[in-house]
Amino acid sequence: DTAVSQTPKYLVTQMGNDKSIKCEQNLGHDTMYWYKQDSKKFLKIMFSYNNKELIINETVPNRFSPKSPDKAHLNLHINSLELGDSAVYFCASSRGDIQYFGAGTRLSVL
Amino acid sequence: GQQVMQIPQYQHVQEGEDFTTYCNSSTTLSNIQWYKQRPGGHPVFLIQLVKSGEVKKQKRLTFQFGEAKKNSSLHITATQTTDVGTYFCAGRRGGTSYGKLTFGQGTILTVHP
């Protein structure tokens, strides 16, 4: 069974559209994250939730809105997509500092 | 804010050669972790170092945490083609909440057979 699963794996869309990425973890962890990895492989944290509460909110445009319906799920909604949003988005979960990553969602904005 | 610099950005080696990547933080860290990301894959946790001067080994991989807890290294002995990928260090600054890691830029390792 996949520990951290995110969908979809690939997302190709036009500029200006709104899209969502879903993430679920079955590890029983309290904390979940969204990371963005750009074309140069740089990994940057975007958001973190602990038990459904937002605890990390880095400098991210307001177009990005995370939602955590329960501690096993963390979704990411993106409004008005821009070309610069093209990247791989990773969901992760942790107990303590060790992060367990999902397989990633490759977002391409055309 | 906290910065974690990782060098080199790229490393090409012949199979059998050794490889080292270095990580330096602008602030003292509570701990440091290392992750490996295979091409097309996701980062996978390798190890966590917590104590000043700590050294840990995993088969051909040796991890070190500096005495001042501001730098770390990963050394691979006799690389194999299965070692290809991007290696990231990630650290948490002392006093910050669990999970708020800053990742280094990563070192992309290519191993030529």
Side-chain angles (χ1 to χ4, degrees), chain B residues 49-90:
Chain B
L49 303 169
V50 179
K51 298 176 186 173
S52 168
E54 190 169 13
V55 177
K56 286 188 176 180
K57 292 194 174 190
Q58 288 180 351
K59 297 183 181 178
R60 294 178 295 105
L61 278 61
T62 302
F63 304 84
Q64 293 189 344
F65 199 11
E67 294 289 341
K69 299 184 76 173
K70 294 177 78 171
N71 55 67
S72 182
S73 65
L74 158 59
H75 179 82
I76 303 179
T77 304
T79 54
Q80 299 174 358
T81 54
T82 52
D83 294 326
V84 297
T86 304
Y87 292 85
F88 293 97
C89 62

Side-chain angles (χ1 to χ4, degrees), chain A residues 9 31 33 35 37 40-45 48 55-56 58 90 94 96-104 106, chain B residues 9 30-31 33 35 37-45 48 86 88 92 97-101 103-105 108:
Chain A
K9 193 170 172 64
T31 310
Y33 311 79
Y35 286 86
Q37 186 172 49
K40 294 184 179 177
K41 298 285 191 184
F42 187 58
L43 260 176
K44 186 165 169 48
I45 191 167
S48 174
I55 56 169
I56 297 174
E58 294 297 289
F90 286 103
S94 76
D97 286 321
I98 298 171
Q99 315 266 309
Y100 295 83
F101 286 83
R106 185 173 294 275
Chain B
Q9 190 175 357
S30 289
N31 60 56
Q33 301 167 36
Y35 292 80
Q37 184 178 16
R38 293 183 187 275
H42 59 278
V44 174
F45 172 76
Q48 178 171 273
T86 304
F88 293 97
R92 177 168 63 84
S97 56
Y98 278 111
K100 187 168 182 180
L101 302 181
F103 278 77
Q105 301 95 316
I108 300 173

